[in-house]
Amino acid sequence: MGKKKDKHSREDEKDLDATRRASRDDVDEKTAKKTEGKSGKKAEKKAHKKAEKKLEKQREKAKKALANLVEAADPVDGAPESVDEAVEQVLATNAHAVVADVADSVASTFVGALRVGPDVRLADIDPSSTPGFTGDRDDAEALMAAAAPEIAELQERLYAESRDGEGRSVLLVVQGLDTAGKGGIMRHVVGLLDPQGVAIHAFKQPTAEERRRPFLWRIRRALPEPGMIGVFDRSHYEDVLVARVDNLVPASTWRRRYGQIRTFENSLTASGTTLVKVMLHIGKEEQGERLAERLARPDKHWKFNPGDIDTRRKWEAYEEAYDEALAKTSTDEAPWYVVPANHKWYARLAVQQLLLDALRRLDPQWPAATFDVEEQKARLADS
Amino acid sequence: MGKKKDKHSREDEKDLDATRRASRDDVDEKTAKKTEGKSGKKAEKKAHKKAEKKLEKQREKAKKALANLVEAADPVDGAPESVDEAVEQVLATNAHAVVADVADSVASTFVGALRVGPDVRLADIDPSSTPGFTGDRDDAEALMAAAAPEIAELQERLYAESRDGEGRSVLLVVQGLDTAGKGGIMRHVVGLLDPQGVAIHAFKQPTAEERRRPFLWRIRRALPEPGMIGVFDRSHYEDVLVARVDNLVPASTWRRRYGQIRTFENSLTASGTTLVKVMLHIGKEEQGERLAERLARPDKHWKFNPGDIDTRRKWEAYEEAYDEALAKTSTDEAPWYVVPANHKWYARLAVQQLLLDALRRLDPQWPAATFDVEEQKARLADS
């Protein structure tokens, strides 16, 4: 794989699974590369020293990270009461174990920090900011790794609950301009879930048939089954965004859609689907750099479309369209969260935590047995 | 999460993401738990000693693992030529870096070791064996972690290749009796892939409509799109397994299906879909234990169905049905692989490696730009 790695793009490197990044294998792997070829004993000593140094650095990072986390989080059982206590714990043990406890209280922080209301204006939200979180990339990835097992159990409970074909579901709606990082959310947040309980739908330009139907027709057909976590990569919101900016329909039509969307989403939540609506908010400069990278690298050309630049040229029009869409459809039943996305690591952590918070509020339970357990044990015994 | 963890089942613990297990964070986490509450400095020293010890143990493991791997693998560029050389490298660096190189040559080993022909008899295959691999759980998980980045790149290339809506695809067919570990394959092998490029279909008992149609009708509708990796959890093979054992159709009907399946699968491969057909082979005793565990634990009851025991009672009939299905449909175009599945960690590694081998043989390439790169760079510059 060594050779393969070289071919890897910077982004691929950045995109290594959060849990792997958070792991110290990374360190050793890098150390290993550097020391390859050197004579065994000497290189071993050297590799060891480096690992030592790195461990120290990690402790320092963890110390800082926890100070920040404890600041941000409301105190909960198991979480350190004070920065000092947290730091003590870090030094006494290691980052992960403590971060795991603190993590319990972080999700709700993101909900509070990212939810938007009728007065939202994207121009006023710094796409490089990290609301509710003062840690760095490593802290974010440690937190994501720490949250994964809880999310996994909640997802399995949700799935189990609807074994009989009836039950609740979650729908994660991901919106954002080109290069905002929707794909990264799929890979690194949705990718941490059990794929058996996930259904991703990417909505491209509507087909001829879809255009003949009401705009919600193709959306309804893609809704998650009971027990599932549905994920929309773009969604019915394109019908009040690109449809508006490019005048694909008369103004009277897209204006009517805000109300139709509210009604539709209310009926969804009423029938047991929890919506988590996320807008990945990047800056124009950052998008410029990301598009430039796609043009600079042959292994990224397939992701580029000349139309992306046409869209980019309508930046303000899209911002305006987003502002109105967010303002008119961020309801108590289905609120919008604007996630600053210039830092991919922040956006991924934020979306994971919003999903975690939604699952916690659902609090799914293992269903009771639909059979006589003792009777079945007896049957199994003589089978 | 600490509290949550307690609630976790043994299986949940076992089922932690392979990459996390392979990582040394695990070690630190465990060490941390043990030392929690102890006074900072002392506990730190202790935790450190333990990490040291564990590192030594890992080196020993790696040494053994590599000896085995190098034995099993055909030499390839980058892979150590000899056990001694491999061991030298391990001691000089660390397990992962070297395993990664050796891993390059392992996939093909599994293909050779697991493929079955017309003479296959499940009764002759030890479900506790680990063909092509003499390592243990840790070695297997280290290998899986090492292979993940290459699989990720191959999957993205496959996806990119068919950007224009035309292209090749992969179809992983997973068969096996209840508790054989199909779900674990989905979570731990398919779960390592980019979810955007994966489509899982679990085939349950056919619906009334599906029963009215030819048995391949629902299969055709679930085939992977170009660029995708489709995964079937059960498949059209149920129509020559349960359909035969439970006499759901006349013998003349299921007998005819072997030929229909061969024709169907040949047309699939001819049209660019690579099939990887995997049968997870567990022993009757092991199944007994797994069913008992489901009955013993309330958080597993939802997975149990009294019908599972009825099926279990027809063990020999299913073995017979499998033998004939495998024998008559293991073709050069779409061979069957029987994966001994009493050891979950082995089955997962084996299926991952079979998938990796299939992707390598496809050798997908980044598509060329469909636009003038320089022209677009210029447009971007003044956008």
Side-chain angles (χ1 to χ4, degrees):
Chain A
M1 219 86 69
K3 330 168 220 76
K4 281 252 162 3
K5 263 246 171 70
D6 306 337
K7 278 192 246 123
H8 270 183
S9 66
R10 216 154 43 71
E11 175 140 332
D12 287 339
E13 292 298 350
K14 276 194 243 131
D15 282 355
L16 280 176
D17 184 322
T19 46
R20 288 208 61 222
R21 283 185 141 294
S23 92
R24 270 205 264 123
D25 285 320
D26 258 25
V27 186
D28 299 334
E29 220 162 327
K30 287 183 209 112
T31 321
K33 285 209 187 320
K34 294 204 199 78
T35 54
E36 247 156 14
K38 294 228 177 77
S39 86
K41 284 226 152 302
K42 227 167 120 201
E44 183 182 16
K45 273 217 189 72
K46 194 163 177 199
H48 206 281
K49 261 219 188 70
K50 291 205 171 169
E52 281 311 299
K53 266 219 192 85
K54 181 73 181 183
L55 179 53
E56 251 334 294
K57 226 177 113 222
Q58 283 191 329
R59 286 223 176 77
E60 277 317 302
K61 267 194 177 305
K63 185 170 165 174
K64 186 174 123 288
L66 281 161
N68 299 330
L69 285 173
V70 176
E71 231 166 68
D74 329 319
V76 293
D77 308 352
E81 240 87 66
S82 71
V83 177
D84 292 353
E85 190 191 328
V87 171
E88 249 316 295
Q89 286 185 37
V90 178
L91 295 175
T93 61
N94 92 327
H96 257 55
V98 181
V99 170
D101 284 336
V102 182
D104 280 353
S105 59
V106 175
S108 53
T109 315
F110 283 92
V111 172
L114 299 175
R115 179 171 174 170
V116 296
D119 55 349
V120 59
R121 285 194 68 258
L122 289 177
D124 300 340
I125 302 175
D126 177 358
S128 294
S129 62
T130 62
F133 190 68
T134 46
D136 63 11
R137 167 196 286 273
D138 292 353
D139 310 324
E141 288 168 348
L143 257 179
M144 285 188 75
E150 182 184 4
I151 292 185
E153 176 166 346
L154 287 169
Q155 183 192 12
E156 190 178 3
R157 286 168 178 267
L158 179 70
Y159 188 85
E161 246 190 9
S162 63
R163 222 321 173 60
D164 57 9
E166 294 196 358
R168 303 172 294 175
S169 61
V170 172
L171 177 56
L172 173 66
V173 174
V174 183
Q175 284 289 154
L177 294 173
D178 299 315
T179 76
K182 298 187 289 296
I185 294 294
M186 301 303 147
R187 262 192 307 282
H188 301 287
V189 179
V190 179
L192 288 180
L193 302 170
D194 182 336
Q196 297 172 104
V198 172
I200 299 181
H201 285 272
F203 291 95
K204 317 265 173 217
Q205 280 190 7
T207 63
E209 179 182 17
E210 288 169 348
R211 269 195 301 275
R212 281 196 306 273
R213 311 272 194 164
F215 77 103
L216 289 174
W217 178 75
R218 65 173 185 167
I219 304 299
R220 288 203 163 88
R221 305 175 71 219
L223 291 172
E225 300 285 319
M228 299 288 285
I229 298 176
V231 183
F232 283 179
D233 176 350
R234 301 188 185 270
S235 66
H236 44 294
Y237 283 96
E238 292 299 322
D239 297 295
V240 289
L241 294 167
V242 62
R244 164 183 175 158
V245 173
D246 289 350
N247 304 303
L248 304 181
V249 296
S252 57
T253 302
W254 57 255
R255 283 213 184 83
R256 200 166 42 237
R257 288 177 174 170
Y258 300 119
Q260 294 170 321
I261 289 175
R262 279 195 305 269
T263 312
F264 168 65
E265 292 183 348
N266 288 348
S267 71
L268 273 187
T269 51
S271 62
T273 299
T274 298
L275 274 89
V276 181
K277 301 189 294 185
V278 168
M279 191 274 175
L280 299 175
H281 175 47
I282 51 165
K284 191 172 183 182
E285 193 178 333
E286 175 70 16
Q287 188 196 47
E289 287 168 19
R290 294 182 185 183
L291 287 173
E293 197 190 357
R294 288 183 180 182
L295 283 170
R297 289 174 29 201
D299 63 322
K300 294 278 171 194
H301 285 162
W302 68 277
K303 286 186 175 185
F304 180 86
N305 177 334
D308 299 348
I309 294 179
D310 305 320
T311 307
R312 173 177 172 77
R313 286 179 165 151
K314 302 166 191 161
W315 192 271
E316 291 69 22
Y318 271 103
E319 217 160 49
E320 198 183 323
Y322 262 111
D323 283 347
E324 185 165 4
L326 296 170
K328 293 198 166 159
T329 63
S330 192
T331 62
D332 291 341
E333 295 75 19
W336 267 107
Y337 301 97
V338 171
V339 177
N342 278 7
H343 295 298
K344 291 178 178 180
W345 54 263
Y346 170 78
R348 291 166 188 176
L349 170 65
V351 175
Q352 183 206 37
Q353 296 293 317
L354 291 171
L355 187 60
L356 172 56
D357 178 79
L359 287 166
R360 280 178 176 163
R361 281 187 282 100
L362 284 174
D363 189 27
Q365 299 300 316
W366 298 116
T370 55
F371 48 85
D372 180 326
V373 176
E374 292 315 313
E375 178 191 336
Q376 295 304 322
K377 282 182 181 171
R379 288 187 68 221
L380 176 60
D382 60 50
S383 71
Chain B
M1 219 83 70
K3 334 168 216 73
K4 282 255 159 10
K5 265 244 170 70
D6 305 340
K7 275 192 248 121
H8 271 183
S9 64
R10 219 157 34 74
E11 176 142 330
D12 287 339
E13 293 297 351
K14 274 194 245 134
D15 284 353
L16 280 174
D17 184 323
T19 44
R20 289 207 59 223
R21 283 185 143 293
S23 94
R24 273 206 262 118
D25 285 319
D26 261 25
V27 186
D28 300 334
E29 222 162 327
K30 289 185 208 109
T31 321
K33 286 209 185 324
K34 294 204 200 79
T35 54
E36 248 156 17
K38 293 227 177 79
S39 87
K41 285 226 153 304
K42 227 167 117 201
E44 183 182 14
K45 273 217 188 70
K46 195 163 176 197
H48 207 280
K49 261 220 189 68
K50 289 203 175 169
E52 281 311 300
K53 265 219 193 83
K54 181 73 182 185
L55 180 52
E56 251 334 296
K57 228 178 109 217
Q58 283 191 333
R59 286 224 177 75
E60 277 317 303
K61 267 193 179 308
K63 188 169 164 176
K64 185 173 123 287
L66 281 162
N68 301 328
L69 286 173
V70 176
E71 229 167 72
D74 328 318
V76 292
D77 310 351
E81 241 87 64
S82 71
V83 178
D84 291 354
E85 190 191 326
V87 171
E88 250 316 294
Q89 285 184 38
V90 179
L91 295 175
T93 60
N94 90 326
H96 257 56
V98 181
V99 169
D101 284 338
V102 182
D104 280 351
S105 58
V106 175
S108 52
T109 314
F110 283 92
V111 173
L114 299 175
R115 178 171 174 171
V116 296
D119 56 350
V120 58
R121 285 193 68 256
L122 289 177
D124 300 339
I125 302 174
D126 177 0
S128 294
S129 62
T130 61
F133 189 68
T134 45
D136 63 12
R137 168 194 284 270
D138 292 352
D139 309 324
E141 287 167 349
L143 257 179
M144 285 188 75
E150 183 185 3
I151 292 186
E153 176 167 346
L154 288 169
Q155 182 192 11
E156 189 177 5
R157 285 169 177 267
L158 179 70
Y159 188 84
E161 247 190 8
S162 62
R163 230 287 163 100
D164 57 9
E166 295 199 356
R168 302 171 295 174
S169 60
V170 172
L171 176 57
L172 174 66
V173 174
V174 183
Q175 284 287 154
L177 294 174
D178 299 314
T179 77
K182 298 186 291 293
I185 294 294
M186 301 302 148
R187 262 192 306 282
H188 300 287
V189 178
V190 178
L192 289 180
L193 302 170
D194 182 336
Q196 296 173 104
V198 171
I200 299 181
H201 285 272
F203 290 96
K204 318 264 175 218
Q205 280 190 6
T207 63
E209 180 182 19
E210 288 169 347
R211 269 195 300 277
R212 280 197 306 274
R213 310 272 193 164
F215 76 104
L216 289 174
W217 179 75
R218 66 174 186 168
I219 304 300
R220 287 203 165 88
R221 304 176 73 218
L223 291 172
E225 301 286 319
M228 300 287 286
I229 298 176
V231 183
F232 284 179
D233 177 349
R234 301 186 186 270
S235 66
H236 44 295
Y237 284 95
E238 293 298 322
D239 297 295
V240 289
L241 294 168
V242 61
R244 164 185 176 156
V245 172
D246 289 350
N247 305 303
L248 305 180
V249 296
S252 57
T253 302
W254 57 256
R255 283 215 184 82
R256 199 168 41 238
R257 288 176 174 170
Y258 299 119
Q260 294 170 319
I261 289 175
R262 279 194 305 269
T263 311
F264 168 64
E265 292 183 350
N266 288 348
S267 71
L268 273 186
T269 51
S271 61
T273 299
T274 297
L275 273 89
V276 180
K277 302 189 293 185
V278 167
M279 191 272 175
L280 299 176
H281 174 48
I282 51 165
K284 190 170 184 183
E285 194 179 332
E286 176 70 17
Q287 188 196 48
E289 286 167 19
R290 294 183 184 183
L291 286 173
E293 197 189 358
R294 289 184 179 181
L295 282 170
R297 289 175 30 201
D299 64 323
K300 294 282 169 191
H301 285 163
W302 68 278
K303 287 187 176 184
F304 180 86
N305 176 336
D308 298 348
I309 293 179
D310 305 320
T311 306
R312 174 176 171 79
R313 287 180 165 150
K314 301 166 192 161
W315 193 271
E316 291 68 24
Y318 270 102
E319 219 162 45
E320 198 182 324
Y322 261 111
D323 283 346
E324 186 166 2
L326 296 170
K328 293 197 166 160
T329 63
S330 192
T331 63
D332 292 341
E333 296 74 22
W336 268 106
Y337 300 98
V338 172
V339 176
N342 277 8
H343 296 297
K344 290 178 177 178
W345 54 263
Y346 170 78
R348 291 165 188 176
L349 170 65
V351 174
Q352 183 206 38
Q353 294 293 315
L354 292 171
L355 188 60
L356 172 57
D357 179 77
L359 287 166
R360 279 178 178 165
R361 281 187 281 101
L362 284 174
D363 188 27
Q365 301 299 317
W366 299 116
T370 55
F371 49 83
D372 180 325
V373 176
E374 292 315 313
E375 179 191 336
Q376 295 304 321
K377 283 181 179 170
R379 291 185 67 222
L380 177 59
D382 60 51
S383 70

